[in-house]
Amino acid sequence: REIARIADVSETLLFRYFGDKAQLFDAVVVKPFNELMADFISRQQQMQPDSDGAHQMFVAVFDLFENNRELLSAAYLGRGGNAEGVPPLARGLAPFFQQSAQSQARDNRGCDPGLKLTTGIPLAFGMIASAVLLREWLFTDEDYDRDEVVATLETMVRKALGPAAQD
């Protein structure tokens, strides 16, 4: 009802085009989120990595989340699932996680990080997303320094996903 009111259309018209709330959510949140992630992956694959490619990628992910905070929030808060319990956003995230794990494995040059990258990459993603989504919970306006947050997160992720320290 509220969506129809804000859009200044009747509920009947809204349901004629979208069928139900789940289809509306897919149209306004899931599809744009998955397209955003696919476009991001495509742009990252086209970039020529330099000596600091991992840093550029990390900052790009943080900026992607920060610049699309409302969409990321809507995607997270409305995370439904299909009959198998698979969130519809998994379609957009799975290729990103796969590419990131492959890239990290290449960066590690065969050295074992001491943890499973296919678990560590989604957890790193979650840390970055949490830093963006929960910024007001984690930092006061005076304490929030974007560059410091990015640098600290990047250091934590590099230490966790990079080659394990040799004893």
Side-chain angles (χ1 to χ4, degrees):
R1 232 176 262 146
E2 186 176 346
I3 293 169
R5 182 185 59 75
I6 291 170
D8 197 27
V9 299
S10 72
E11 282 183 69
T12 305
L13 183 62
L14 194 64
F15 282 105
R16 180 177 297 150
Y17 282 99
F18 297 104
D20 60 21
K21 289 178 187 176
Q23 289 176 2
L24 177 60
F25 182 77
D26 282 350
V28 298
V29 176
V30 174
K31 184 178 180 196
F33 181 84
N34 287 339
E35 288 173 353
L36 177 74
M37 292 306 297
D39 180 59
F40 179 78
I41 291 167
S42 175
R43 282 186 284 123
Q44 295 306 312
Q45 288 173 335
Q46 294 171 10
M47 287 181 64
Q48 295 298 321
D50 62 13
S51 62
D52 209 12
H55 171 72
Q56 288 177 353
M57 175 62 134
F58 194 89
V59 171
V61 171
F62 191 91
D63 289 344
L64 175 75
F65 294 166
E66 202 166 53
N67 295 335
N68 296 282
R69 189 172 186 216
E70 287 184 17
L71 180 59
L72 182 64
S73 178
Y76 173 75
L77 293 174
R79 63 190 187 282
N82 61 20
E84 294 81 39
V86 177
L89 299 167
R91 292 187 303 272
L93 294 176
F96 173 75
F97 292 155
Q98 182 180 17
Q99 177 189 353
S100 298
Q102 290 169 349
S103 176
Q104 187 64 50
R106 277 192 307 274
D107 290 350
N108 289 352
R109 293 177 185 84
C111 296
D112 181 16
L115 57 80
K116 191 174 173 185
L117 289 176
T118 55
T119 301
I121 294 291
L123 290 172
F125 171 92
M127 275 194 335
I128 299 167
S130 294
V132 170
L133 292 175
L134 302 175
R135 179 176 44 222
E136 290 82 7
W137 288 16
L138 301 173
F139 306 99
T140 64
D141 286 340
E142 301 84 42
D143 292 336
Y144 181 75
D145 178 338
R146 179 204 173 277
D147 294 336
E148 180 64 26
V149 169
V150 170
T152 301
L153 281 169
E154 183 177 7
T155 299
M156 292 169 63
V157 169
R158 281 185 189 224
K159 286 184 177 188
L161 300 179
Q166 302 298 317
D167 292 326

